[in-house]
Amino acid sequence: MKAEKKEIYAVVVDILLQGRLEDQKRGFKREPVVQAVGTGQFKLLELIPKKGADIQIHDAVYIGEKERDKVERVKRRISYADLTNTAKVELPFAIEAIVKEDEARFVDFFNKAVPVTPKLHMFHLLPGIGKKLMWELVEERDKKPYESFEDIALRIKSIPNPTKLIVGRVMEELEDPEVKYRLFTAR
């Protein structure tokens, strides 16, 4: 559903100072690797940090085309299965931080969501949203567009935390490469 674009920022979910154990190189030749999730399309990436760069888990790092202060290069794009156990644990927290940071983008999703097929609405793709809740979301949106996550939570009592819905869907799209409809991630 999204156009393929390069990520500009990423949030660190794990740091492997000794590199990946699966690398065929000998221990002293392995380079440090940082696993991260992009903030735009939630692409999972392996980054090579600059020597001496101070990078911590949950740091947002610049990975765009201009001069980078902490990252030397983007090594490759990875799948959910390639993540370390630490990265898998930290990923939902990183995604939640990204969603909260860019709240307007995701509130806009609630305001612009449309049917995907005659029987399937984008809202149905969010975890826990059935037909009744989908109609409640649409009817409230038709009265007045949503302004924030707090506004959604106040108007739709069954959704106390809209952030969790978005995080749940992003996690589902990342964990399952065969998912048919993608709302927030790139293939």
Side-chain angles (χ1 to χ4, degrees):
M1 301 252 169
K2 295 189 69 91
E4 189 74 22
K5 290 188 246 171
K6 287 189 173 187
E7 297 283 7
I8 298 173
Y9 288 93
V11 175
V12 175
V13 290
D14 197 9
I15 302 160
L16 306 166
L17 295 175
Q18 302 300 315
R20 295 186 61 84
L21 294 176
E22 298 84 40
D23 277 354
Q24 298 302 317
K25 298 177 184 174
R26 289 208 166 126
F28 67 92
K29 289 187 176 181
R30 277 194 229 128
E31 55 192 351
V33 172
V34 171
Q35 291 188 334
V37 58
T39 60
Q41 297 181 347
F42 300 103
K43 292 178 184 175
L44 299 174
L45 305 165
E46 271 189 0
L47 313 173
I48 304 301
K50 286 189 172 181
K51 290 199 185 325
D54 180 33
I55 299 177
Q56 304 296 320
I57 290 180
H58 295 290
D59 280 357
V61 293
Y62 177 75
I63 57 171
E65 297 296 321
K66 297 182 180 140
E67 181 66 30
R68 301 175 184 147
D69 55 345
K70 294 184 177 187
V71 175
E72 183 180 308
R73 71 183 192 279
V74 176
K75 183 174 182 179
R76 67 186 179 123
R77 188 166 167 195
I78 57 176
S79 69
Y80 183 81
D82 295 327
L83 291 175
T84 62
N85 288 335
T86 301
K88 287 178 182 177
V89 169
E90 297 296 335
L91 186 60
F93 299 109
I95 292 169
E96 186 172 354
I98 292 167
V99 170
K100 286 179 178 176
E101 182 75 26
D102 199 0
E103 182 177 345
R105 171 177 143 205
F106 296 100
V107 170
D108 197 41
F109 164 79
F110 280 94
N111 287 323
K112 293 183 177 174
V114 295
V116 180
T117 69
K119 292 187 177 192
L120 182 70
H121 196 283
M122 285 179 161
F123 288 143
H124 285 128
L125 299 173
L126 297 174
I129 303 289
K131 201 168 259 180
K132 184 178 176 187
L133 202 48
M134 184 269 305
W135 280 114
E136 192 176 344
L137 279 163
V138 170
E139 288 167 4
E140 280 296 318
R141 171 181 76 183
D142 289 345
K143 291 177 189 172
K144 179 182 167 215
Y146 299 113
E147 296 172 7
S148 65
F149 285 149
E150 186 180 353
D151 184 31
I152 296 168
L154 288 171
R155 290 164 58 186
I156 311 293
K157 300 294 183 219
S158 306
I159 304 177
N161 192 343
T163 308
K164 295 283 186 207
L165 291 179
I166 304 289
V167 172
R169 180 60 194 186
V170 171
M171 287 300 297
E172 187 179 325
E173 291 177 22
L174 291 175
E175 290 171 0
D176 182 6
E178 303 301 316
V179 73
K180 187 172 182 180
Y181 300 107
R182 292 181 177 271
L183 299 177
F184 306 110
T185 64
R187 281 228 175 264

